[in-house]
Amino acid sequence: MRRPTDLRPALAATTPLLSVLVATALLLTACGTERAGAGSTGAGTAASQEGTQTDDPGKDGVRIISLTLPSASPSPTRSRSVSAEGLTTGSDADSGVSAGYEVTNEGTEPLTYSIVFTFKSGDGGAVTNQTETVRDVGPGQTVQGTVRAGELPPTAPRVTQAEVLEVTKVPAGEAPAEPGTCPTSGIRISTDEGNAAMGLRVVGLHLDNCGTRAYTVEGYPLLELLDEDLEPVDGVEILDGSGEITTGAGPDEPPRPVTLEPGESATAGLVWRNTTEFGTPVNVPHVRVRAKEGADPVTVTPHLDLGTTGKLGVRPWEKAER
C-alpha cells in the first residue's frame, strides 16, 4: 500500500518565493497610489475626494479649471500640492478643498500675477479667500497650478464652488521680490496695507537693504502712477510732503541722506484724501517706485482710491527703527 506523498518539504521550499511575490505586489500597488496623488497638478484624485471640472470664464486670463471637494465628513489629513511656481504648498490640517487653475498671458511681455481666489458655499457666500503669486509667465504662455482652501473651522459651511475674485499683474522684471529673497539690486521695496481715518489714507513704502553693501537714498522716492493696463494715470499732482493734504498725520521730516547698512530699512509714505466732490474719481491700482534716480523700478499695487482731490503727497525716506 502506497503512503500519501508528504508535501510539507515542497511547501516549505516555495514559501519564501510566495512571500516575495506577495510583498512585491503590495509594494507596486502602494507606489501606484502615491504617484496618482502626488503627481496631480490639478484637483486631487484621492478616493476620499470628489473632483469635478468647471466651466469658468475666468478673469484677466485666469480661470478655474477643476474643483476638488472632500467626501461628506473628511478628517484632516496631511497634504501636499505643487503650485504654478513649482513650490509645495498646503497645511498639516488641510480641509481637502482645492481648485485647479490656469493662467494665460495674453500680453506681449512676461508678467507676474497676484491672484485672489474665493471658495464659496452653496448660497454664494464666501467661505475663505486665498492668494497665489504666479511669476514670470511669458507672452502667450499658459501655466497651471493648484490653490488650496487650507484649514477651515468645523462650523464653516460646505464649499461647493470657487471663483477668481481679483487679478493683479505687473511686468515680471518689476515685480516685488518674494519674501525671504533678495533681488540682484540688493534692495527690496514693498508696501504695507496702510490705514485710514476720516477720509485720510496713508500707505507706507518700505525699503530694505538685503544686499552686502551700504545703500544711500536722499529725499523722496520717485513715483509713476499706472492704471490697470500699466499705462500712466493723468490728472494727479504728486507733491513733495503731505503738508498740503493734512497735518493730522504728523509733520514731515525734512529730506536728508539716509544710509542703510546691510539689514537696515527705510520708510516713506503715500498720503491722500479720497473725498469725492465734483469730477471723476481717480483710482490708481499700480505705482512704479524707484528708490532714487537710476534705481531699478519696482511696481507695487497699493490700489490708491484718490477720489476727486487730484493730489498725492509723498513723504521722504527715513531710517526705520529696529
Side-chain angles (χ1 to χ4, degrees):
M1 179 182 229
R2 297 181 61 186
R3 294 182 180 179
T5 303
D6 190 353
L7 299 180
R8 285 176 296 176
L11 288 175
T14 58
T15 297
L17 178 60
L18 288 174
S19 299
V20 170
L21 291 175
V22 171
T24 303
L26 291 175
L27 180 59
L28 290 174
T29 301
C31 290
T33 303
E34 184 177 355
R35 282 198 300 271
S40 173
T41 57
T45 57
S48 62
Q49 296 178 324
E50 304 169 3
T52 60
Q53 293 185 341
T54 64
D55 186 18
D56 175 28
K59 178 181 294 186
D60 293 335
V62 183
R63 70 186 187 98
I64 302 292
I65 57 176
S66 63
L67 180 65
T68 296
L69 303 175
S71 55
S73 300
S75 58
T77 58
R78 298 182 67 89
S79 63
R80 294 165 63 88
S81 67
V82 179
S83 74
E85 299 179 80
L87 301 178
T88 301
T89 61
S91 65
D92 287 348
D94 194 271
S95 63
V97 177
S98 65
Y101 64 89
E102 68 177 21
V103 181
T104 300
N105 181 358
E106 300 172 349
T108 59
E109 63 177 329
L111 297 174
T112 288
Y113 292 75
S114 178
I115 311 161
V116 180
F117 297 93
T118 181
F119 291 88
K120 307 173 81 171
S121 61
D123 62 3
V127 178
T128 186
N129 292 342
Q130 297 292 341
T131 301
E132 292 279 300
T133 299
V134 184
R135 295 181 178 272
D136 302 325
V137 183
Q141 183 182 7
T142 296
V143 299
Q144 294 185 351
T146 299
V147 56
R148 295 186 177 276
E151 184 177 3
L152 300 176
T155 56
R158 178 176 171 81
V159 172
T160 63
Q161 54 188 311
E163 293 181 2
V164 178
L165 184 63
E166 181 181 308
V167 178
T168 301
K169 48 193 175 184
V170 302
E174 298 180 11
E178 292 184 77
T181 66
C182 187
T184 56
S185 64
I187 62 167
R188 187 170 48 228
I189 292 178
S190 60
T191 59
D192 58 33
E193 296 183 358
N195 57 69
M198 298 298 290
L200 182 67
R201 301 290 188 268
V202 180
V203 167
L205 289 176
H206 300 267
L207 174 64
D208 303 318
N209 182 357
C210 56
T212 58
R213 296 182 296 178
Y215 190 84
T216 299
V217 291
E218 182 176 0
Y220 304 89
L222 305 178
L223 309 181
E224 293 179 70
L225 308 184
L226 306 175
D227 62 17
E228 291 183 354
D229 297 321
L230 300 172
E231 296 295 331
V233 174
D234 298 324
V236 178
E237 184 180 5
I238 298 177
L239 307 172
D240 289 342
S242 60
E244 291 189 36
I245 296 175
T246 182
T247 57
D252 292 332
E253 292 293 331
R256 58 171 63 93
V258 176
T259 298
L260 303 177
E261 298 297 332
E264 293 186 326
S265 302
T267 61
L270 309 181
V271 184
W272 75 98
R273 289 192 178 274
N274 68 339
T275 52
T276 302
E277 297 177 353
F278 299 104
T280 302
V282 177
N283 294 304
V284 180
H286 308 289
V287 178
R288 180 175 285 136
V289 182
R290 287 179 172 84
K292 61 182 179 180
E293 191 71 42
D296 293 337
V298 176
T299 298
V300 296
T301 55
H303 296 283
L304 309 182
D305 179 9
L306 300 181
T308 57
T309 60
K311 293 182 178 181
L312 175 67
V314 183
R315 289 181 156 182
W317 290 117
E318 302 175 33
K319 182 174 287 191
E321 296 182 4
R322 288 189 172 183

